Amino acid sequence: MKKRIYLSSPHMCGHELAFVNEAYETNWVAPVGKNIDNFEQDLCNYVGVNHAVSLSSGTAAIHLALILLGVVTGDEVICQSFTFCGSANPILYQKAIPIFVDSESETWNMSPEFLEKAIKDRIKKGNKPKAIIYVHLYGMPAKIHEIHKIADGYEIPLIEDAAEALGSTYKGRQSGSFGDFAVLSFNGNKIITTSSGGALLGNDKALIDKARFLATQARDPVPHYEHSTIGYNYRMSNILAGIGRGQMRILDKRVEQRRNNYKFYNDELGNIEGLSFLEETKNVKSNYWLTTVLIDPRKIGGITRESIRLKLESENIESRPLWKPMHMQPVFKDAPYYGDRLSENLFENGLCLPSGTNMTNYDKQRVVKAIKKYCRDA
Ligand SMILES: *Cc1c(COP(=O)(O)O)cnc(C)c1O
């Protein structure tokens, strides 16, 4: 059996070890320490925000953002439907109600048109949404200007889920710098990783300080353990922050490498009738965290997303369907939904190709050869 090619696996650069070693040698094996402070500063400098708190996951960051925005039981929160469940689950942690909004076809992210429809309808029904969570899926920046204009018009705060988009830019500005809060993830499959981890970013010092307080079991500033609110154990370890500091040094290169993966696949497969790739629109730069391909079975002899996936799997190559929209998930079946089912079609016909930065040219050749051969034989 040939070596397995993974969808997106961790890729260390070597700089991580010195920071991890220092934490070990100085015995800061704890959820406080120099690596954490420095990693948070690195994130602020890179993204262009004033404050950041590193956390145990991106999901924790979204949860804290909702709490800081005052989301409580019965509140409604608008969320992009076409995303990973980490964007939406925290709405339920707060016993709030998710309102799902579908995507538009240019970026596959939140449709401004359906966003406005949803807001108007929810207000008409007497429950104005408390927050909006939008996503830059697969690294492709959403229609930020349009989304923000609508949200600002109704004075609804925005949570920018940039978990997949560190290093992507919109009109030259880094993603993660737009929302009232922004969220990053350093899970093992993301563009840079701390094995698991996340961060909450923002420009309001008091709010990010409050997030840090809530993430540390909401410990009041007295000598004994005193708690006047319920907190969480959401902080990042100083060891993992050391990995993050090392990874930040190579981030720009990783963005370039992911973009090269996309270009390679597009060059090799883009002219096969029935296969198509999502392209950047004007003014955006995607980190192309994952390269995705859409399959049109009518144009390609009945080949489907699933038949390509199984073909690749038989060659020990991992690929994955696009995210299954949240409004189709059994756990969210009762949640209101606004859209025209575009994301259902993307889920049905889209595939994520292996996109790790540690793939060799030979690995990438294996992937395109398998797909080309399969499409030719069909
Ligand atoms: C990965 C991811 C998250 C959550 O991150 P975790 O660190 O895994 O909790 C949230 N939203 C999106 C879109 C993601 O891809």
Side-chain angles (χ1 to χ4, degrees):
M1 194 53 148
K2 281 186 181 160
K3 185 192 85 174
R4 183 151 179 85
I5 298 175
Y6 292 100
L7 190 72
S8 176
S9 62
H11 190 182
M12 296 297 109
C13 66
H15 291 298
E16 300 85 0
L17 270 180
F19 296 120
V20 170
N21 268 329
E22 189 189 293
Y24 184 90
E25 298 295 339
T26 57
N27 204 33
W28 285 97
V29 184
V32 286
K34 201 172 124 190
N35 281 335
I36 291 176
D37 300 340
N38 283 287
F39 183 45
E40 290 172 351
Q41 195 53 55
D42 289 348
L43 292 172
C44 288
N45 295 345
Y46 189 91
V47 174
V49 293
N50 293 335
H51 304 283
V53 55
S54 54
L55 298 164
S56 54
S57 73
T59 307
I62 294 190
H63 188 196
L64 292 178
L66 292 173
I67 295 170
L68 293 170
L69 292 173
V71 172
V72 294
T73 306
D75 283 343
E76 294 191 351
V77 174
I78 291 182
C79 183
Q80 182 166 322
S81 183
F82 191 40
T83 186
F84 170 62
C85 71
S87 310
N89 282 348
I91 301 171
L92 268 75
Y93 302 168
Q94 286 307 97
K95 299 190 169 58
I97 302 158
I99 309 292
F100 290 116
V101 167
D102 213 320
S103 295
E104 36 76 17
S105 60
E106 275 177 42
T107 76
W108 296 357
N109 293 306
M110 184 177 273
S111 152
E113 181 197 340
F114 288 117
L115 170 64
E116 183 146 36
K117 274 196 182 140
I119 295 172
K120 280 187 174 152
D121 194 50
R122 300 325 294 178
I123 290 175
K124 206 169 78 192
K125 291 187 162 69
N127 209 350
K128 181 178 164 182
K130 267 284 193 58
I132 297 166
I133 302 168
Y134 74 102
V135 190
H136 310 303
L137 217 59
Y138 304 115
M140 186 64 78
K143 293 196 171 181
I144 295 176
H145 178 78
E146 289 87 337
I147 291 170
H148 278 250
K149 201 168 153 206
I150 293 165
D152 290 350
Y154 292 93
E155 295 182 341
I156 304 173
L158 287 152
I159 299 171
E160 181 189 3
D161 182 346
E164 301 179 1
L166 184 57
S168 298
T169 64
Y170 179 89
K171 295 186 177 164
R173 217 172 112 183
Q174 289 290 333
S175 69
S177 67
F178 292 92
D180 293 277
F181 291 105
V183 168
L184 299 174
S185 168
F186 312 110
N187 192 39
N189 58 358
K190 298 284 158 65
I191 191 156
I192 62 165
T193 183
T194 58
S195 70
S196 64
L200 181 67
L201 314 180
N203 285 316
D204 187 320
K205 182 172 187 310
L207 289 174
I208 298 297
D209 282 347
K210 189 164 178 206
R212 194 174 277 111
F213 164 78
L214 290 171
T216 321
Q217 298 290 26
R219 209 186 136 191
D220 293 337
V222 292
H224 63 274
Y225 279 78
E226 177 96 0
H227 306 279
S228 38
T229 45
I230 293 291
Y232 303 86
N233 184 2
Y234 275 173
R235 293 237 54 192
M236 178 180 275
S237 152
N238 191 51
I239 296 280
L240 301 188
I243 298 178
R245 285 178 81 186
Q247 289 268 286
M248 281 305 283
R249 298 224 175 153
I250 201 84
L251 174 55
D252 282 331
K253 172 119 187 270
R254 295 289 182 256
V255 172
E256 197 187 306
Q257 289 170 315
R258 298 256 174 184
R259 289 177 62 80
N260 285 340
N261 286 344
Y262 169 86
K263 188 172 182 309
F264 175 79
Y265 284 128
N266 199 352
D267 288 349
E268 293 285 331
L269 303 171
N271 51 11
I272 297 179
E273 178 80 4
L275 297 188
S276 61
F277 291 83
L278 182 66
E279 278 170 28
E280 287 168 333
T281 55
K282 203 161 52 93
N283 293 326
V284 309
K285 180 176 166 189
S286 172
N287 70 6
Y288 282 116
W289 170 56
L290 297 183
T291 296
T292 57
V293 61
L294 273 187
I295 296 110
D296 185 343
R298 290 163 308 180
K299 291 190 183 157
I300 191 170
I303 282 179
T304 63
R305 173 263 276 168
E306 195 52 17
S307 72
I308 295 185
R309 192 187 71 76
L310 290 170
K311 180 69 203 168
L312 289 172
E313 192 54 52
S314 75
E315 307 242 353
N316 211 15
I317 297 168
E318 184 184 32
S319 64
R320 195 175 294 159
L322 302 192
W323 298 121
K324 181 171 185 175
M326 292 304 116
H327 73 270
M328 296 173 77
Q329 298 287 354
V331 280
F332 293 124
K333 67 180 187 324
D334 297 327
Y337 157 81
Y338 296 82
D340 58 5
R341 321 223 160 248
L342 180 106
S343 60
E344 296 181 18
N345 182 49
L346 293 173
F347 168 62
E348 205 57 47
N349 297 307
L351 192 67
C352 301
L353 298 176
S355 304
T357 46
N358 44 12
M359 278 193 302
T360 62
N361 284 335
Y362 176 71
D363 292 338
K364 288 192 249 180
Q365 286 292 351
R366 266 179 64 196
V367 179
V368 299
K369 271 189 190 147
I371 295 176
K372 279 181 178 169
K373 179 167 189 306
Y374 182 57
C375 292
R376 213 180 303 124
D377 291 349

